[in-house]
Amino acid sequence: MPQPETSLMNRLVSLCKRRGFVYPASEIYGGLNGFWDFGPLGTQLKNNIRDAWWRDMVDCPPIGPDGQPVSIVGIDTSIIQHPKTWEASGHLSGFADLMVDCKESKKRYRADHINVFEVTMRDEDKEEKARLFFSYVEPEQLNEIVAGLIKRTKKDSQYYLSFERHPRNDSEKYCREEGLANNFLSKIQSDFILIERPFTALNAEEQAKVIGPDAKNAGTLTEPRSFNLMFNSYVGVFQNEESKVYLRPETAQGIFLQYKNVLDTSRVKPPFGIAQVGKSFRNEVTPRNFIFRTREFEQMEMEFFVPPEDGMKWYEFWVAERLRWWGEMGLSKANIFRHEIGDGDRAFYSAATADIEYKYPFTDPNFGELEGVAYRTDYDLKQHQTFSKTNLEYIDQEAKTRYLPHVIEPAAGLTRGVLALLCEAYQYDESRASPEWLKLKPSLAPIKAGIFPLVNKDGMPEVAEKLFMDLRKTHTCQYDAKQSIGKRYARMDEAGTPFCITIDGDTLTSQNVTIRNRDTAQQEKVALDQVKSYLSTKLS
Ligand code: ATP
C-alpha cells in the first residue's frame, strides 16, 4: 500500500486538528509551547481511557496473586499542596533537569540527552594524532567530515561532535541518528577508535569543544545548568518566599499525604491501593513530539501499600497487570516493551522499576515511556513522616505489629496514553472513502455509532431520528443526514466510529437496518428492534 510522503506523526497531528481531537493551545495568539487542548473527540477519547482505567483499578480491580480481588479506593487531591510536600518528596531539590543551550542554533537540550562520539585518530605508526568528538552525520556529509578529520589531525586539535539521544529513546531524531552513526562508525572504524560518551561525562574544557547537535561550530553549547521543573505560584495577597507554592509535578504525593486518613476512614488494610487521576505540571525543558511531552498533562497513578516482605511479589504482579491492561486497550504486543531499569539508573530509593514502553512513530524502531511501575519501598511515607512529624505507621491489630508499608506505584500518562492509542489506531488505506481512519477499540471510540437516513426524505429521517433518540440513552451516537452516504462513512471512519447504521427504503418495509462495520467495511442487515442489543454486545 503506497504511503503518503508526509511523516506519520505529521499526518496524525493534522488529522487530530482537523477532526477535533487535539488543538494547539492558545492558537489564535500563536500557540504556547508545550501546551495542547483536547477538542470534542479527543476529550471523549481521553475520558473513555480514564474511565476504563478507573473501572479496572477502583470499581473492579484485578484478581490478586492469592485469587482474591485486590482492594483499591479512589481519591482526588488538590493540585496545590503545602510546599513542605515537595521538600519531603525530594522534588524541590532533586526535580531539576540539567539543561544546555546552544548559542548558535538557539536550541535547548537536556544535558542527559546529549551524547558525543569521541574519536581517537592514529597515524600509520599507530601513534595517537588527535581525539575528536562528534555525533552522527548525514551520509552525504561523510566525506566532508573525514576530510575535515584529516585536516584537523594535521592541526592536532580536538573536536567533539554531539548528538541528541534520550536514554529512553524518545528523541525524535534518535533512531535516524543511531542508524547513521552506526553506518559512519563502520566506515571509519578501521582507521579510528570511536567511543560514545554522555556530554555530562566530559570535563568543562572538553565540553567547550563540542559541536552541538544542530550547530556547525564548536563551543556553542553552554555549561549544563539546572532547571527546576516545578511551576510555582503564590497563595494570598503577598508574593514572597513564605507564600510560594507549587503546582504538583505528579499526582502521587497527594495520595501519600492522605494515606493515613484513607486508612482511618475506609475499611482498607495492606495490601491495598489508592488511585487518582488528574493534571500534573512540569516546566519541561524541551516539550516535544505532540502530546508526548507537554508542560501540562494528565496522569493515572495508583499507590499500592503492602507489608514490606511482600514488596517484590506485588511489584511483579503490577508490572504484568499493567502490561496486560495496555494490551487490552488495543496496543499490540509487538509495540509494547517492558524495560527493566538497571541498578545504576533507578532512583536511589527504588528497589525495582520497570518502564512500560511503546513504539511511537518518532522512537521507532525503539520505544519510549508510557508508564512507569516503581517499587518505591517505604521512602515516601518515611519522608513525610519525618517532615510532618506525624506517625504514618500501620498498626496491624491482629498480628500485633506496626510498620510503614512499602509501596508499588504504577504511574501512567493519560495524555501520553491517548497518543499511544491514536498512533496504534491510525490506518492508511487509499482504497477506502477516507484513506485515513482510526481503528480504535470500539469501547474507547469517542462515537460508538453514526445513525444515517439514506436520504433525507420518504419517511427515512423519522425512523432514523426515533432510533437515535433511543440509542443515545445508552451509547454516544451521532445523527447525520447530510451529504452522500460515502462521505458520512468517511467522516465516521476518521473519528474511529466502529458502527454506522443506515435507514433506507427497505427499513420501512422489512424493519431491517444496515450496519456497516468500520474495520471490515462489511455491511449486515439487523432488525430495527435488535440494534440496541447488537451494539451492547459488540461494545462490551
Ligand atoms: P520521562 O522520562 O518521559 O520524562 P518520567 O519518568 O519523568 O518521564 P514519571 O515521573 O514516571 O515520568 O511519570 C509517569 C508517567 O507520566 C510517564 O510514564 C508519562 O506517561 C507521564 N508523563 C511524565 N511526564 C510527562 C510529560 N511531560 N508529558 C506527558 N506525560 C508525561
Side-chain angles (χ1 to χ4, degrees), residues 13-14 19 25 38 201-202 220 288 330 356 406 434 467 494 529:
V13 172
S14 82
R19 291 312 315 274
F38 285 79
L202 304 181
T220 60
R288 64 173 66 200
I356 295 175
H406 276 205
S434 162
L467 180 66
E494 281 185 339
D529 60 3

Side-chain angles (χ1 to χ4, degrees), residues 168 282 284 292-294 297 299 369-371 413 416:
R168 291 180 200 155
R282 295 182 192 178
E284 295 280 1
F292 177 81
R293 185 178 302 288
T294 52
F297 54 98
Q299 293 183 303
E369 183 173 334
L370 170 61
E371 171 163 353
R416 208 178 269 189

